[in-house]
Amino acid sequence: MDYPNTAQRGTVLDMEIEPDSRPLALRVDALTREFGDVRAVDELSFHVERGEVYGLLGPNGAGKTTTLRILAGMMQPTSGSVEVLGTRPGDNLIELRRRLGYLTADTGLYARLTPREVLTFFARVSGMSDSQVSYRIERLKDELGLGEFIDRRCEKLSSGQTQRTAIARALVHEPDVLIVDEPTATLDVLAAQFILKRLRTEADSGKAVLLSTHHLSEAELVCDRIGVIHRGRLCGEGTVSELKQATGADSLTEAFLRLVTDAPDGAETLPVEITEAET
Amino acid sequence: MIRWWVVKTMIKKELLEVVRDRRSMFLTIILPLLLYPLFFLATTQLAVTKVQAIEAEDVIVAVVTEKLPQGLTEHIAAEEHLSLQLMVETTAKKQLAAGTVAAVLALPSNAQEVMDTGGKVRLDLHFDSTREISERAKRQIEQVIDTWAESVVAKRLKDNDLSDAFVDPLQVKSENIAPPVKVGGHLLGSIVPMLVVLMIGLGAFHPAVEITAGEKERGTLQTLLTAPILPVEIVSGKFVGVLLVALLAGASNLLSIGLLGGLAATMPLPEEVTENISLALSFGQIMSLVWVALLTALFFSALMMTVAVLARTYREAQAYTTPIYFLCVLPAMFAQLPGMDANGPLALVPGIGQALVMKAILNDAITVDLLVRITVATGFFTGGILVLAAKIFESEALMLGEVGLTGIVPARRTSGGGVPRPSDALAFSAVVAVVYIYLGSALQLPGTGDNGGDGLLLGLTLSQWCILGLPCGIWLRWQRYNLKESLGLRRPSGRYILSALSLGLTAWYPASLLASLMSNAESEAAAREMASQLFPADASFAWVFFVVAITPAVCEEVLVRGVILRAFETRFRTRTVALATGLLFGAFHMSLSKFIPLSVMGVIMGWMAIRSRSLLPSVLFHLLNNGMAVVLTLTPPDLPGLGSDTGMHWLPLSISAAGIALGLWLLYQPPPEISSTGPDAP
């Protein structure tokens, strides 16, 4: 897939770009993944552009995590294809992962290392030199407020501090694309707000952000576009207002409910937490 | 390709993590340092106290007789804490069973008269070997009876005017001619190998579980898998991390044992001990021990890590690794049994093999060939296991913890065609090599009796066809690979047939000269023994030719120049492929003296397979080469330079040089169809 070669790693795209001409960062095309008889992802197609936050919105078990894992090359698709910045995971996985930041609720930090050591490790294996690493860590320390705990072991951090470190970990190698899987699941409101704002900032600086969530309020707050996914299929896509308009609903919750109810073998099994998210 | 700076970063991270895990560090490194001295002190203290208590206890020995002999009462008076009591037999035995008396002595009532008149008396002593106090009473009574008997003998000799030579005509004085160092080596050889294997295995256990299944359980592995690191780099980093901790644990244990030994050495020892035993080791012995300990650590680290990777949780990993640990360590204990030495096929089995070789080192019975064999065998096992580990790291289901142990079985490919990838071919070959080393060695154990040779020939045939040859075909078919492409089953150009003929008929001569130059008396004797087994007098020529020439030519070629070479060819440069498969071929035969000639032959056969794009020329080369050995052994011609004659003889040498030159020249010519020989043919 074409995208301008002028977009260097870590540089900020500060030009005004028309929405339609924004370069493509992620493309998912007729993606299907089966686990035995279960079809977790079913002919799913969508794309994410640079500079936007795309929300993959759906209940637990909708196939969100599987899609993200296939994008990061951790899983193979049964059929269909994915591309990250024009590269398929099978073609050059190392280069793809060098340009990709992956963040989950399950922060995946090494308990006995300090945030500084964790960041150094992930930056080094991404090919950054020692001086680049220390410069980058200093910047992230200021931007994300890691200063007071950067040399404390991760096992001793609070959940908010842990999540800040995790986001720094996903950003340390200056990726062009961020894939974020339920990042606020274990956080209180303030910490969650911090993370969401940060994602917005990253997108505004030219990165592509793919956010998977089952919280409608989060999606409404930060996402430029939303893809509603249920049972592995895309049931609707667009901005919040487009989704409302298309379904004739007053709120995103209502739009969401209508989309998944209209979906084949629809909403009778809709998990409670989806409706609770807005009530 | 593996990037070493990434591996280095991985190792640093793993070590930092493991070293900061205080519990693991304490268990694997600090505890042994404390444990041995504490254990030693506690047991000696306990033993001393217990013995003292038993010695100080007053015991009663029941005597079943009507009249106590005078001699007995006289001698018993000198014993402390021991008294006699007359009883009837039934009461005495009841009391012995109840523990109120320590032993029962039954003797006839006329014992004293019989003794005085030169007769012989029978005494019955009953005791309970499960009670220390009864054992002590037995010892004491026996001592009393011995001194009583001695005094009677002395009196009888005196009465008859005889010297003690009358009853003691022979005197034996034995002397141990083994030098003190040898005795010490034997002593060390009976404990040190087992301890080293035990401790290194234990040392690898904790970090292996911690940095694999532990990482999965804590959710950090998924993060690692999103980073730009290759599976092989993750495996290498983790492997070295486990290896270093295992070595540290082994060193810490040996240091502790050494310190304890030093402590014991400062204690005053009886002169006969210091005179006869020396625990001094030579520099060569120490270096060989360190090398074998390193091999042990390599094997255990790879094995433990790979098994632990299969688990989803820490607990599950412990459940998998514990039986594996015992499976490897228990055989090492058998290595301590007398009569077990490193010359049999057992020395190739990991765990027991290292223990046997260490025993040989300490007994000063080590040879370079043994060291090479254990090194190659360990290399094969460790390499195979690591390839498997890298494959596991590529498996999404195993890494994301969706399946447990069952996920190790590779899934059948959904689409057909193509050639195996190098990693798949290596993983398959590793399994084949492991089975061949274990099962093949057992099958090839020389039989006993008249049909010993037949047993070996049959074993060789079975192991070659059933472990090497057929599984290749079955695997390729099952995985839906293109059989023709994967093995190179196509008709070669006539030129390569000529090259194979030329090389196959002549290359054996310089190869056997080279092998005899590299060999020593010991390996020659082994070769002669092998030859007499392989070519038994009563076996038919056709049968021997089938086993020794046709079988390996087909089976070994299918694996090495078929599966492995064709897979490597898809990824690596021609010369790398020829060199790697050649060295692999040489190493597979596990003999130092044959390594160089076989590797050279292997490289040439690899080159032949690449240039001709066919398996057939190398099969022909292999077949002729082995066939010549059969013909020459069964009907030996009078050729100089063979057998005991080791001189250089120019005529046969120049004929074979010409043959080899012709064969190589034919290979070197540009292939008939240049366009289809691959991108980088030389």
Side-chain angles (χ1 to χ4, degrees), chain A residues 5 54 66 125 127 145 184 189 203 208 228:
Chain A
N5 283 331
Y54 185 94
T66 304
V125 295
T184 58
V189 180
V228 176

Side-chain angles (χ1 to χ4, degrees), chain B residues 115-126:
Chain B
M115 299 277 269
D116 289 344
T117 55
K120 186 167 182 164
V121 176
R122 197 187 108 157
L123 306 171
D124 293 312
L125 182 61
H126 305 268

Side-chain angles (χ1 to χ4, degrees), chain B residues 450 452-454 457 531-541 544 633-634:
Chain B
D450 295 337
D454 269 355
L457 288 179
S532 73
Q533 295 266 4
L534 276 176
F535 307 108
D538 54 343
S540 73
F541 176 81
V544 175
T633 315
L634 291 183

